[in-house]
Amino acid sequence: MARRRRAGNNTAITAAWRASRGGLAALILFTVFINLLKFATPLYLLQVLDRIPVSRSIETLVMLTVMVLAAVAAGLALDIVRRRMLTRWGTWIEHRFGPRIVQQELSRSGPQVSADMNNALGDLGRVRSFVTRSAASWMDVVWTPLFLLGTYLIHPVLGGVAVGATVLLIVLAVLQEYTTREARRVSNDASREAENLMLDAERNRESVVGLSMSSALTERWQRSAGGRLAERERIEARQTFFRTLIRGLGEVLRIGMLAFGLWLAVTGGLTLGGIFAARVMAGFGYTLAERAARNWRSLREARMAYANLKLRLAEERETETSVLPDTDGAPFVLDKVSFRHQGQRDDVIRRLSLTLAAGEGLLVTGTAGTGKTTLSRLIVGLIEPRYGQVRLGDIEISRIPADLRTRLIGYLPQHTEIFGGTVRENIARMGDLPFSQVVAAAQLAGIHERIVALPQGYDTLIGPEVTGLSGSERKRIALARAFVGKPRLIVLDEPMANLDDSTRRALGSALKQLKSDGCTIVMTQAVHSTPLSRIADKFLILGGKSLEVTKAQTDRTETASEDTTGLRSVT
């Protein structure tokens, strides 16, 4: 939506309903005419079978036949237009909310973003599928009582037969849903387990092949797939049973309408035209109810998906974040930050306070498992602290708008990530940055010459599965992505891993150059053996006691006083 709205006052869902009002009114109007035109056929049968044999008027027969054919053609044309509108509406829904959901989920911090985004897109797909495939059936089903009423008006006995068959149809549909629900749940769980197993095996193919794990994984997959197939067979057997009963019930209805109709005709209570008119109207009502029953599951799933989307999109607030114009030069602040992982009793980071002015560098060291990666994620806003704040100046990192974060923050995670695309796109963060900035970042990372030597240079396609680049080269491309645009805050998690000595020295020089424009924070296990220690202004040692060391003086004097922040200062 282009317009801004106050938080809690308007949501994307209500705005979409408002934008769809005109189309929905047209759909309702078309549905009314489509179902009203269906009455043309039973009225035609009443007139033709009861009056034409008596009057023997060929002109009347021709006129009535032309009129009913025109009504049928008009109904079919309106139905085609209505279904086309529903298809376009479903596509519009996906186009409207798909990018919004993806951006919302990718911008959100947390460990389950991928799963949440897949669930949200799955909900959106179910809503779109219902609109395009099943919504017409549920718009028509409200006309079932009217067709049954028309049958009753022709004769109450025939109306009772039609109502009884429709009620039995509803009972069979409910039984089908109830008896297959648990089997469907077990089958879906087994299917997800088998799919996740194959995804894990594909991601770790080298370990699977190198450790000869294929037999064990195949057995686990077979157990999961076997349970899925057994439950699916049970579901299909029950569904076939109920579908056969419903189809047989439809045949019984048609035979019953003819039998009771002829009996009433023999006794003088009904005409021949009334028999066939009642049979057609009862058939219309039963067919509409049967179509809705077949789409009952899609309605239930669409309602659940719609509720999930409504809740998810209601959390989105288009509020403007107030940012001071001098944020670029503001200090970076950790203000009594504490964090613990879910399920753990002890804090990984406890009441950590730290200030980095523009132009300063921080080297965070510690053994494995002491919280270096956790701290890097806190700094860039991937996770939120349990207590305290992570700020750039007076604004929390997590509240900085995405367009401003792109310019202010550069980040290298511990595990190198390469996206499917060209080298230029990977360095430009999959955006459209000026090529001069991309080249400058590659030169800082020491990868420019290697990129130029590639077959298509910066336009060479790379990706997670594309070979041809070493681990060191991928790491340097990721470093260039962190450096592009010379961000205000650069956070690097183990940047020296997989780099040779010359590349490490080049990285040290690059960080020294970048530090003049902002501040750099580097997480590493090595301290004295790396050139990073020579450009750091402050040291933070994690593990046991947290230490902050200021390299302002040549002769350092250690103060062992420990305050309530859990941070021991050494100057």
Side-chain angles (χ1 to χ4, degrees), residues 84 99 138 150 211 219 269 297 317 402 509 545 561:
R84 176 61 179 165
W138 289 99
L211 298 174
E219 291 179 3
R297 192 181 310 145
R317 297 290 180 259
S509 301
K545 301 294 183 181
S561 60

Side-chain angles (χ1 to χ4, degrees), residues 199-221:
L199 288 175
D200 289 340
E202 183 65 27
R203 282 194 296 263
N204 302 284
R205 179 177 290 273
E206 291 186 7
S207 298
V208 172
V209 177
L211 298 174
S212 301
M213 298 169 60
S214 57
S215 298
L217 290 174
T218 301
E219 291 179 3
R220 294 190 62 179
W221 177 87

